[in-house]
Amino acid sequence: MKVLLCGAQGFIGRHLLARLRAQGHQVLATSSRNTPPQASAGIEWIQADFRRDLDPAVWRPRLEGVDAVINAVGVLRDRRKRPMEAIHHLGPAALFEACAQAGVGRVLQISALGIAHSETRYACSKRAAETRLQALQQAGRLNATLIQPSIVFGPGGASSALFLRLARLPVLLLPAEALQCQVQALAVADLAEACERLLGQTGPARLAAVGPQAQSLADLIASLRQELGQAPAWVGVLPGKISRLSARLGDCLPFQPWGRETLTLLQQPNCADPAPMQALLGRPPRHVCSFLNPEAA
């Protein structure tokens, strides 16, 4: 298939790109840079940017000959130069409408699990794109699947790097939300494989992309620590005022995932039945520790 992959230079996008190439697909990959990367075998790069490409007419020429579209664009912080409303909602909505007009056969939108009841800017902008896509799906104008992953873990991920740093600490002081919140971390390789498999299917309308087991973030960090051969760490609860202060300080460091919106999102459940993922993959999803020990995967 010829696949337009939006967000090909991001964490999830890079793994998707590798999977698509390995399976023999022709990839048209987007880059927001003024000078996209050099094209290589099986990949053609074009410049596209959800911050400014808000009209379906801009996307229509890019969809010539395209069989499927995957949108893996996302940001963790709302910044003036990278506004969430444009990147998560308005840009994707223009792309979806262009796909419907052009008769693109398949559209996959990578959203997020645990945003249904959150009023954060991240959740609201993601939900707005979901609503637009579902409206086109229900109108019979698109064959689309909304993919909602829990925490995605693997090489090159900002959250993965943060959890690995925490896993190496002998003493952990975590917000109460991190001790209570249940997540179902998913290996990024499994997410990429699931997306590639969905290209050749009709539906489902929605897929909760989750790993094999639900666990608290504290337990996830403990399992990473065990995989690294470390003794169990001492874990304590960070006082609420200090948690909120650390989140405000995290907002000043846009290169890492911790901030006030992250703290708020930790209060939402982030789990689902893994059976649909297992059926799609034809095997149980891998534990996220598998990339630390590939031989055990």
Side-chain angles (χ1 to χ4, degrees):
M1 300 176 73
K2 183 176 181 180
V3 182
L4 173 66
L5 175 59
C6 297
Q9 292 179 295
F11 165 50
I12 293 173
R14 291 194 302 271
H15 289 269
L16 274 169
L17 181 60
R19 174 74 189 188
L20 293 170
R21 290 186 70 190
Q23 296 300 307
H25 298 286
Q26 180 185 355
V27 183
L28 182 62
T30 72
S31 170
S32 60
R33 297 175 182 172
N34 291 331
T35 305
Q38 289 282 336
S40 58
I43 305 175
E44 177 187 352
W45 289 91
I46 62 169
Q47 187 181 358
D49 195 332
F50 280 156
R51 293 173 297 180
R52 63 171 186 269
D53 297 346
L54 308 180
D55 186 336
V58 176
W59 289 97
R60 281 292 302 273
R62 299 166 178 166
L63 298 173
E64 184 70 31
V66 168
D67 302 303
V69 169
I70 304 176
N71 177 32
V73 176
V75 292
L76 290 171
R77 300 297 180 79
D78 187 27
R79 291 186 284 164
R80 183 178 60 83
K81 293 184 177 181
R82 303 191 73 189
M84 279 186 180
E85 179 63 13
I87 291 174
H88 286 170
H89 172 210
L90 299 178
L95 171 61
F96 301 154
E97 175 59 32
C99 288
Q101 294 176 8
V104 172
R106 194 77 170 102
V107 176
L108 305 181
Q109 162 74 356
I110 299 178
S111 187
L113 197 62
I115 61 172
H117 305 292
S118 173
E119 294 306 315
T120 61
R121 285 170 291 186
Y122 178 87
C124 289
S125 58
K126 284 282 191 179
R127 284 202 308 270
E130 292 182 356
T131 300
R132 297 290 289 273
L133 184 63
Q134 287 174 316
L136 292 169
Q137 170 91 344
Q138 291 165 4
R141 300 182 64 202
L142 279 182
N143 171 22
T145 294
L146 180 63
I147 302 165
Q148 298 175 306
S150 184
I151 292 176
V152 182
F153 204 93
S159 296
S160 309
L162 173 61
F163 291 144
L164 284 172
R165 287 197 298 269
L166 292 174
R168 292 184 172 95
L169 297 176
V171 176
L172 274 178
L173 288 174
L174 298 174
E177 292 85 351
L179 295 172
Q180 299 164 1
C181 175
Q182 295 286 301
V183 299
Q184 217 158 326
L186 174 70
V188 68
D190 281 355
L191 176 58
E193 182 177 343
C195 289
E196 193 274 329
R197 287 175 178 267
L198 283 169
L199 289 177
Q201 299 188 11
T202 300
R206 184 187 300 261
L207 174 71
V210 295
Q213 67 181 106
Q215 56 187 162
S216 69
L217 283 177
D219 288 339
L220 172 60
I221 294 169
S223 65
L224 292 171
R225 186 173 175 82
Q226 182 179 13
E227 193 68 25
L228 292 169
Q230 304 283 340
W234 183 88
V235 180
V237 181
L238 200 63
K241 288 185 178 179
I242 297 178
S243 294
R244 291 188 291 274
L245 175 60
S246 72
R248 285 197 296 271
L249 292 174
D251 286 340
C252 301
L253 303 171
F255 54 84
Q256 54 82 49
W258 182 244
R260 282 178 290 182
E261 291 223 335
T262 309
L263 181 61
T264 302
L265 286 167
L266 286 178
Q267 300 170 23
Q268 306 296 323
N270 206 259
C271 300
D273 182 1
M277 272 293 287
Q278 180 167 335
L280 179 62
L281 297 173
R283 56 170 173 78
R286 287 169 285 199
H287 193 276
V288 294
C289 288
S290 62
F291 96 88
L292 297 175
N293 184 10
E295 293 182 359

